[in-house]
Amino acid sequence: MSDSQSSSSAELGSAVAADESVGRTRRSSDSSQIIASPPSRRWRDVFWLAIFLIHLLGFSLILGVLGLNRFEKPDRLNIGNVGNVPSDGDARFTEDYWPLYAVAGGTGTLLGWTWLLFLGSQANHMMKVSVHILTTYLAVISVLCFWGERFFCGVAFAVGAALQFLYVISVIDRLPFTMLVLQKAVKMVWNLPEVTRIAYLFMLVMLLWMVIWSFGAAGVIASSLDDGKGWWLLVVLSVSLFWTGAVLCNTVHVIVSGLVFLVLIHGGRQSLSMPQNSLLKTLRYAVTTSFGSICYGSLFTAAIRTLRWEIRGLRSKIGNNECLLCCVDFLFNLVETLVRFFNKYAYVQIAVNGKSFNHSARDAWELFQSTGVESLVAYDCSGAVLLMGTILGGLVAGTCSGVWAWFKYNDKVVMVGSTSMLMGMVLVGVAMAVVESAVTSIYICFAEDPQLIHRWDAEFFNQLSEMLHQRLQHRSARVTEVLTHNRFDGRIQNTFSI
């Protein structure tokens, strides 16, 4: 029995290795074709580009109207005037709340710039702090909310702290490898100083949009609308801000990943074969022909990624509870299907080949599955670690504005704090996108042609190869175990039927 299991396991391992070798050889030749004759660029996902631009224009008008309605005069445009407008002495105005958002924007920008400034020297420590302090920070805010009799917010932050703690516990054995990958990504980005300048530029662009957005949000909070209508308006405005922020973050992702891919393909920044003005070219492609694909992917990718992380963490800790495992596996397979068409690795393909988003996501996932690198990507938690840093930055920005609102406008502290947190997350997320794009490019290059990574960093190549071998062995062992278990169950059923 054991001999048959070991032989089947060996056959499976050799088959996986053979598929991996064939896939990588094919992808290596594709990479050389990309260098020799880059594909022509056509406008992709134009429909979503139009939707995003119409959304920007429409919300600019709406935000201007909402902010102007309460600017220096109560209900200037009679919005929400249903016979219950406060007197001039009790009325609040847009300019009362606008400075609170200025604090949030300033705090988020300062945190993002600090992250970029210390990227080369303190990035590893900052990421470790983000992982370990986030749970504590959420718990402290939960306690403060209960103390301030904000029970719903207290419960929400307590649940968030519990989920964060459980997630870290479930992936704690993966963190050493994750930190290794992040360190190498930081090393790559730090040697490309123009990349950080792009991030600074896009943070300023995001900050300018937030001036308009916060003007409208301050007008909503100051309005005479009841809390229910006010909250619904803020939710709609927050979705708009999230989409806009995600588009800018992913635009940075495309620009940086395209440049990193070129550096790895050509063997270094100073290589003679490196195209001239490569940064300007990737920037031009990102904001023109590929911008529609970025707008499309930004709508869904972040939510699907977060759901996938949580399900993976839960799935690894279920144990032998077959009923619960069956339910989680159903959700897991559903999310994996979505990941095939919506994943962050699509942005590297968009930067390099100029394909549509779904086409790029499918090609990237098929590349990973054909080479076995998908098992390595699934084991890596770098995206989750960077997200923790983004959430922590948002919490700090929300806390700064929320504390000020607590002393000035106690009844609006939740509205101000939650929206300020979103502003901080978006701004810090632009800075985090620089490192995340380097991570995605490293994995794509490792799957395309492992020698690209070997030429860049031989020690890191050996570490990646060793971990990939371990993950493929682990997956092979699990498949063998499942097949053996199914055969054993089948024999038992046949015995009982006889």
Side-chain angles (χ1 to χ4, degrees):
M1 180 74 174
S2 60
D3 292 340
S4 62
Q5 289 181 14
S6 60
S7 62
S8 62
S9 177
E11 292 173 359
L12 183 59
S14 62
V16 170
D19 291 342
E20 178 185 351
S21 176
V22 171
R24 291 190 174 189
T25 302
R26 176 171 53 82
R27 293 297 174 177
S28 179
S29 63
D30 291 344
S31 298
S32 62
Q33 292 176 4
I34 292 174
I35 300 172
S37 56
S40 59
R41 297 277 179 160
R42 292 189 299 169
W43 289 81
R44 304 289 186 179
D45 296 311
V46 179
F47 172 78
W48 292 101
L49 171 61
I51 292 294
F52 180 74
L53 293 178
I54 292 171
H55 146 265
L56 275 187
L57 292 174
F59 270 84
S60 298
L61 178 62
I62 293 171
L63 291 166
V65 169
L66 291 173
L68 188 62
N69 181 58
R70 302 292 295 188
F71 189 72
E72 296 183 345
K73 184 178 179 181
D75 268 341
R76 181 191 299 269
L77 304 177
N78 292 324
I79 297 177
N81 187 359
V82 291
N84 189 27
V85 181
S87 63
D88 289 350
D90 297 329
R92 293 176 183 172
F93 303 97
T94 300
E95 58 268 27
D96 293 332
Y97 296 97
W98 211 9
L100 302 178
Y101 286 120
V103 171
T107 304
T109 304
L110 179 62
L111 291 173
W113 284 3
T114 302
W115 163 259
L116 292 173
L117 184 63
F118 293 102
L119 188 61
S121 58
Q122 303 296 328
N124 190 36
H125 297 295
M126 290 189 291
M127 287 183 288
K128 288 181 179 178
V129 167
S130 299
V131 172
H132 296 295
I133 204 174
L134 181 57
T135 302
T136 305
Y137 202 104
L138 287 167
V140 169
I141 295 179
S142 174
V143 172
L144 292 176
C145 288
F146 283 122
W147 177 70
E149 298 182 354
R150 309 284 177 178
F151 295 106
F152 177 79
C153 294
V155 171
F157 281 113
V159 171
L163 291 176
Q164 164 68 10
F165 177 77
L166 292 174
Y167 178 76
V168 171
I169 292 299
S170 67
V171 300
I172 197 165
D173 57 325
R174 307 182 192 178
L175 291 181
F177 174 73
T178 297
M179 289 301 174
L180 171 66
V181 175
L182 288 172
Q183 287 173 11
K184 297 302 180 180
V186 168
K187 172 188 171 183
M188 169 62 74
V189 171
W190 188 247
N191 292 325
L192 300 172
E194 59 266 45
V195 161
T196 56
R197 290 195 288 269
I198 287 292
Y200 286 131
L201 174 63
F202 274 80
M203 286 179 70
L204 286 176
V205 172
M206 191 69 241
L207 200 59
L208 290 175
W209 173 250
M210 283 184 175
V211 171
I212 302 173
W213 186 90
S214 60
F215 183 70
V220 171
I221 297 176
S223 69
S224 56
L225 296 172
D226 60 77
D227 284 347
K229 294 179 181 178
W231 269 112
W232 276 112
L233 266 176
L234 284 179
V235 168
V236 172
L237 296 182
S238 297
V239 171
S240 169
L241 179 63
F242 177 82
W243 189 20
T244 307
V247 167
L248 289 183
C249 287
N250 291 326
T251 303
V252 173
H253 196 145
V254 169
I255 296 169
V256 177
S257 60
L259 185 60
V260 170
F261 187 90
L262 285 174
V263 170
L264 291 173
I265 282 286
H266 291 276
R269 186 70 176 87
Q270 304 303 324
S271 174
L272 295 177
S273 62
M274 187 76 178
Q276 296 293 325
N277 301 320
S278 52
L279 178 64
L280 293 178
K281 288 180 180 178
T282 55
L283 174 61
R284 176 165 59 87
Y285 291 146
V287 298
T288 54
T289 55
S290 297
F291 194 63
S293 300
I294 296 172
C295 297
Y296 175 42
S298 300
L299 264 179
F300 309 104
T301 307
I304 293 174
R305 283 169 54 200
T306 304
L307 184 61
R308 184 170 182 256
W309 291 332
E310 294 295 338
I311 292 177
R312 276 191 176 275
L314 178 63
R315 190 169 179 255
S316 64
K317 297 298 178 182
I318 286 178
N320 296 322
N321 190 329
E322 294 187 2
C323 180
L324 185 58
L325 184 62
C326 180
C327 297
V328 173
D329 276 343
F330 171 77
L331 293 176
F332 178 77
N333 291 328
L334 178 62
V335 172
E336 286 295 303
T337 302
L338 293 175
V339 167
R340 183 181 178 88
F341 299 99
F342 297 96
N343 59 73
K344 62 182 179 181
Y345 302 96
Y347 297 116
V348 184
Q349 297 282 359
I350 289 172
V352 175
N353 300 316
K355 301 175 183 177
S356 65
F357 182 83
N358 284 144
H359 193 180
S360 299
R362 186 172 62 251
D363 286 353
W365 208 246
E366 288 177 355
L367 170 64
F368 286 153
Q369 289 186 325
S370 65
T371 58
V373 176
E374 187 271 334
S375 61
L376 202 61
V377 169
Y379 188 73
D380 177 34
C381 301
S382 56
V385 170
L386 293 174
L387 179 61
M388 292 175 197
T390 302
I391 294 174
L392 182 61
L395 286 171
V396 173
T399 301
C400 293
S401 297
V403 168
W404 191 4
W406 175 272
F407 290 104
K408 292 193 67 175
Y409 314 106
N410 185 269
D411 56 323
K412 301 294 185 181
V413 64
V414 178
M415 286 185 172
V416 173
S418 57
T419 47
S420 297
M421 176 183 167
L422 179 60
M423 289 176 62
M425 286 180 60
V426 169
L427 289 167
V428 176
V430 175
M432 295 290 182
V434 173
V435 177
E436 188 169 23
S437 58
V439 172
T440 56
S441 299
I442 287 172
Y443 279 123
I444 288 288
C445 286
F446 186 65
E448 289 269 6
D449 186 357
Q451 291 304 313
L452 298 175
I453 304 299
H454 184 273
R455 184 172 55 186
W456 171 58
D457 191 325
E459 182 183 1
F460 181 49
F461 165 79
N462 292 331
Q463 292 167 327
L464 277 181
S465 300
E466 182 181 357
M467 181 56 69
L468 176 59
H469 180 66
Q470 292 177 10
R471 298 314 303 168
L472 289 176
Q473 280 189 328
H474 174 74
R475 181 167 293 185
S476 174
R478 289 192 62 180
V479 170
T480 304
E481 181 182 355
V482 170
L483 290 175
T484 304
H485 181 72
N486 290 339
R487 290 172 185 171
F488 183 71
D489 287 345
R491 290 176 182 175
I492 291 177
Q493 291 177 1
N494 291 333
T495 302
F496 280 123
S497 62
I498 292 174

